[in-house]
Amino acid sequence: MPLIRFGVSIEKDLLLKFDCFIKGKKYTNRSEAFRDLIRQELVQEQWQGKEEVVGAITLIYNHHKRELVNKLMDIQHDFGGVIISSQHIHLDHNNCLEIIAVKGSPKEAQKLADTLKSVKGVKHGTLSMSTTGKEIE
Ligand code: NI
């Protein structure tokens, strides 16, 4: 895609804050920071729609709670259509990290993440909302 330059009018204070923000985020120029903000908004919008999205669910839990492990497994089998891969990492004697890659309906992916996170005994759960990359430059 060709790059198009355009002018943006912005309050001085707001621009100063933006520059301070992007410096903290390690951006080397405003343009890339600006593009990323736009992409972030577009990806968020995709998650509100019906088009296919991609994401990653992370879970932290204690594997000694056998019922919990079985429950998490049952849920994942129920949502097999949206799960494309999963990885289990034994963090220490007690704790496990599970990373579940999802691709498909935003609603289903969100529902899976919510269902897993709400299981009693899951210490922490996140859903990282990303994109297939097809609709975004
Ligand atoms: Ni483990």
Side-chain angles (χ1 to χ4, degrees), residues 77-105:
H77 277 268
D78 288 343
F79 284 83
V82 80
I83 297 172
I84 50 174
S85 172
S86 72
Q87 190 178 14
H88 183 110
I89 298 117
H90 315 299
L91 290 176
D92 57 36
H93 183 69
N94 297 320
N95 295 295
C96 301
L97 161 65
E98 201 151 316
I99 305 167
I100 301 159
V102 293
K103 183 180 171 207
S105 147

Side-chain angles (χ1 to χ4, degrees), residues 2 17 27 29 31 41 46 49 60 64 73 78 83-84 87 96 102 104 110 113-115 118 120 127 129 135:
K17 279 180 182 156
Y27 285 105
N29 64 71
S31 292
E41 287 300 316
Q46 284 182 353
I60 303 290
H64 287 127
M73 201 60 69
D78 288 343
I83 297 172
I84 50 174
Q87 190 178 14
C96 301
V102 293
Q110 182 75 66
D114 291 343
T115 308
S118 67
K120 191 169 171 271
L127 168 61
M129 297 177 181
E135 306 295 327

